[in-house]
Amino acid sequence: MKFIIYGILVFLTFGCKKTNENAMTYFGGQIINPKTNFVLLLKDEKVLDTMLLDENNRFLTEIPSLQEGLYTFKHGTEFQYMYLEPADSILVRLNTWDFDQSLVFSGKGSAKNEFLINLYLQNEKEESMMYRNFNLKEKDFQTKIDSLSKERFAIYNDFFQNETSVSKGFEKITNTAIQFPLYRLMEVYPYFHKGVYKLEDFPEVSDEFYNYRHKISLNEEDLVSFYPYQNYVVSYLYNISSQLSETDSAKNDMTVNILNAINEHITAEDFKNTLLKRILVSDLLKSDSACQINEEALNLFLTNCTNTAYVEQVNNLIKDCAKIPKEEPLQDFEIVSYNNVPLTINDVIKNKNAVIYFWSTAFINTDYLANRIKFLEKKYPDLLFVGINMQSSPQNLTEDAHLKLLDIDNQYLLSKNSSAHHFLRSNYPRTILIDDEGIVKNGFINLDSKKLDSELIKLNAYN
């Protein structure tokens, strides 16, 4: 049956030119070096389908009565966008070792998606190069932006001249993909220009510099799940919040400023809730210890967020933080080795200064995780780094090329009934620092925290 379906897909891909709104749409492909055994298809960040890989790492799904628009497919921690229309028959092929660069589309509807992914890769390259230009004065920086815009629209015009049937929806997405990364660079220009010249204050920027703001909306509901749009909106909110803190000494709490800006400018309910949670959680997680609570920010979130699941997750995070008190013995909990040997955490870290990091591929890229831990182990060879996978369906360390870099002897799983689940209710990763007497020196810090180094230096000093 599987081969019959693939045969139908090939037939539809090359033999069908006619489209209609009720036609079946197909999406499938092959994953080289898969991270998991499935691929997710999402629309507006909601999972529509979970597609299992077969023995050849292929997958396929049928979508009846497809709603035209932007979709996301996700594998492991990586994702990419697709624009789908009724009767499309799209195949993707990619290698997880180089997810975006290796991604190839084929089949009916592939041309627009090849254009979109190439535009994404070009944006990444050009944006990286543009960071060299933040030292320029306002007019010179504007000239650089205008030049990039012209180049991108030349490519855009060439594509649309050769494609005879392109929908208005796809035109809108491509316009967003072209313009909004440039708008974002305009929003972050004052911040980076200030940093380049080590200025005390933000540079003065003319009103004309932000003329583009008059022609955009911050509440385009069909764009809120699209990263160029999201990134621009966040950068805009950050910019106006920073400017406020510069001009009003009573408004120096950036988290509070941004939450207020969200409440003032964002009316699309789901988008507003997402931004409120993202900003508050970021503030909680960047604290150096025990999630120091910003009460004003927390009250703003709780008053304005209408998503009960987000509220519950934030409340759980706050409770999680409090359950590992500093300067008290770490309460023992059950773990399991990758060889299926039951242990307790105190068995593993006894008489050692230890860094216990809980992780999940829902939040951490395995490439980042492996490289970060190898770096820290080399820098602090006298500390014991213990990794604990929180996932109910744990990542296989022997199958992931990145995770193979980690020492499997220092990697563990949580048993189903482990008492550690009581301080991991929010599902967010956390790192706990324990001295050689089993005393908690930091109950909640992130692996990417700017304050982690200073905390590890202190831990390393305990004898």
Side-chain angles (χ1 to χ4, degrees):
M1 183 64 186
K2 174 183 63 184
F3 297 104
I4 293 173
I5 292 175
Y6 275 104
I8 292 171
L9 179 57
V10 172
F11 172 76
L12 289 169
T13 297
F14 296 104
C16 181
K17 302 295 182 184
K18 185 178 179 181
T19 66
N20 63 76
E21 292 184 358
N22 297 318
M24 189 70 74
T25 305
Y26 295 86
F27 170 56
Q30 185 175 30
I31 309 293
I32 310 301
N33 299 310
K35 298 285 185 68
T36 65
N37 66 343
F38 62 91
V39 175
L40 299 176
L41 178 66
L42 303 93
K43 173 73 172 153
D44 299 327
E45 301 183 358
K46 296 180 176 65
V47 176
L48 300 180
D49 198 358
T50 301
M51 299 159 283
L52 296 178
L53 302 182
D54 67 14
E55 64 272 19
N56 296 310
N57 298 325
R58 292 173 177 166
F59 65 95
L60 179 68
T61 191
E62 303 173 340
I63 312 167
S65 304
L66 176 97
Q67 175 190 350
E68 178 185 339
L70 193 68
Y71 290 76
T72 307
F73 65 92
K74 183 177 181 181
H75 178 73
T77 56
E78 303 275 8
F79 73 93
Q80 194 48 264
Y81 295 99
M82 296 185 299
Y83 195 87
L84 294 178
E85 298 179 47
D88 277 350
S89 301
I90 292 179
L91 289 170
V92 297
R93 190 177 190 275
L94 63 88
N95 189 328
T96 62
W97 292 356
D98 196 0
F99 194 97
D100 296 322
Q101 295 284 348
S102 68
L103 177 58
V104 176
F105 290 91
S106 61
K108 186 170 181 287
S110 62
K112 60 181 178 287
N113 286 295
E114 282 287 342
F115 177 72
L116 204 57
I117 186 65
N118 288 334
L119 189 59
Y120 162 76
L121 295 173
Q122 186 69 15
N123 278 343
E124 263 198 339
K125 179 181 176 182
E126 291 174 349
E127 183 168 320
S128 177
M129 293 173 60
M130 276 298 293
Y131 275 75
R132 305 172 191 170
N133 296 309
F134 284 120
N135 63 317
L136 298 176
K137 298 299 183 183
E138 174 191 332
K139 288 186 178 179
D140 293 330
F141 188 79
Q142 177 73 69
T143 299
K144 289 283 187 182
I145 292 290
D146 291 342
S147 176
L148 275 182
S149 181
K150 287 178 183 177
E151 290 175 12
R152 293 181 183 186
F153 274 108
I155 299 170
Y156 170 92
N157 291 330
D158 183 61
F159 174 80
F160 280 87
Q161 284 173 4
N162 291 297
E163 288 294 316
T164 55
S165 57
V166 178
S167 70
K168 293 293 183 184
F170 184 67
E171 285 188 35
K172 183 177 181 179
I173 286 294
T174 51
N175 267 285
T176 302
I178 287 171
Q179 293 179 311
F180 277 73
L182 299 180
Y183 295 159
R184 193 187 76 81
L185 289 171
M186 304 277 279
E187 295 292 344
V188 302
Y189 167 77
Y191 175 81
F192 282 100
H193 187 81
K194 175 186 175 184
V196 168
Y197 288 103
K198 297 180 172 58
L199 303 175
E200 289 289 328
D201 302 312
F202 280 93
E204 289 189 16
V205 178
S206 69
D207 291 340
E208 290 76 17
F209 187 73
Y210 296 119
N211 274 345
Y212 60 86
R213 289 178 177 175
H214 301 304
K215 58 183 179 181
I216 64 177
S217 165
L218 301 177
N219 293 281
E220 297 275 0
E221 297 204 33
D222 56 340
L223 294 176
V224 295
S225 62
F226 193 33
Y227 69 87
Y229 184 81
Q230 275 191 10
N231 287 354
Y232 168 75
V233 173
V234 171
S235 297
Y236 165 77
L237 294 169
Y238 184 87
N239 190 9
I240 62 173
S241 298
S242 299
Q243 301 292 345
L244 179 61
S245 67
E246 287 278 323
T247 57
D248 187 344
S249 59
K251 305 287 186 181
N252 59 2
D253 188 320
M254 275 295 294
T255 302
V256 169
N257 288 353
I258 297 174
L259 291 174
N260 278 324
I262 293 168
N263 291 327
E264 180 181 351
H265 295 282
I266 308 302
T267 57
E269 186 175 15
D270 288 347
F271 191 32
K272 181 177 181 178
N273 288 333
T274 298
L275 292 176
L276 288 170
K277 187 189 83 163
R278 181 188 300 177
I279 297 302
L280 183 76
V281 168
S282 176
D283 184 64
L284 288 169
L285 296 182
K286 74 182 180 184
S287 62
D288 61 342
S289 179
C291 291
Q292 296 161 349
I293 308 301
N294 182 330
E295 294 292 347
E296 186 177 0
L298 177 60
N299 288 334
L300 276 170
F301 169 80
L302 294 174
T303 301
N304 293 283
C305 182
T306 60
N307 185 309
T308 56
Y310 289 174
V311 171
E312 181 181 9
Q313 191 173 29
V314 166
N315 283 330
N316 282 336
L317 176 57
I318 293 170
K319 292 174 184 175
D320 287 348
C321 293
K323 285 184 178 178
I324 306 289
K326 192 175 179 179
E327 299 300 339
E328 292 189 17
L330 177 67
Q331 297 299 308
D332 208 6
F333 58 85
E334 303 80 21
I335 53 178
V336 182
S337 76
Y338 272 81
N339 295 323
N340 206 31
V341 176
L343 297 160
T344 71
I345 192 62
N346 285 341
D347 292 332
V348 173
I349 67 169
K350 187 176 181 180
N351 300 325
K352 298 181 180 74
N353 292 326
V355 180
I356 305 169
Y357 59 95
F358 296 85
W359 64 275
S360 162
T361 55
F363 294 94
I364 298 178
N365 182 289
T366 55
D367 183 17
Y368 170 80
L369 175 69
N371 283 300
R372 180 64 169 155
I373 295 303
K374 295 303 290 184
F375 170 79
L376 292 172
E377 286 178 332
K378 185 176 180 179
K379 189 172 183 180
Y380 302 99
D382 294 330
L383 299 180
L384 173 64
F385 288 82
V386 179
I388 300 179
N389 189 333
M390 298 188 294
Q391 291 166 262
S392 55
S393 299
Q395 192 81 9
N396 191 333
L397 271 69
T398 62
E399 292 179 0
D400 189 297
H402 303 304
L403 293 177
K404 285 180 182 178
L405 297 174
L406 298 173
D407 183 356
I408 197 168
D409 290 337
N410 292 328
Q411 295 294 318
Y412 299 90
L413 308 168
L414 283 180
S415 61
K416 184 177 180 181
N417 297 316
S418 175
S419 56
H421 292 295
H422 295 303
F423 59 79
L424 298 169
R425 292 186 184 276
S426 68
N427 295 319
Y428 280 106
R430 71 185 296 169
T431 300
I432 302 172
L433 309 184
I434 310 292
D435 73 7
D436 56 6
E437 295 183 352
I439 303 300
V440 176
K441 294 301 177 181
N442 192 315
F444 203 127
I445 195 166
N446 270 310
L447 285 174
D448 59 355
S449 170
K450 293 179 180 178
K451 299 178 180 179
L452 180 63
D453 261 327
S454 61
E455 291 291 296
L456 293 181
I457 289 170
K458 287 190 289 185
L459 180 65
N460 210 26
Y462 291 110
N463 294 314

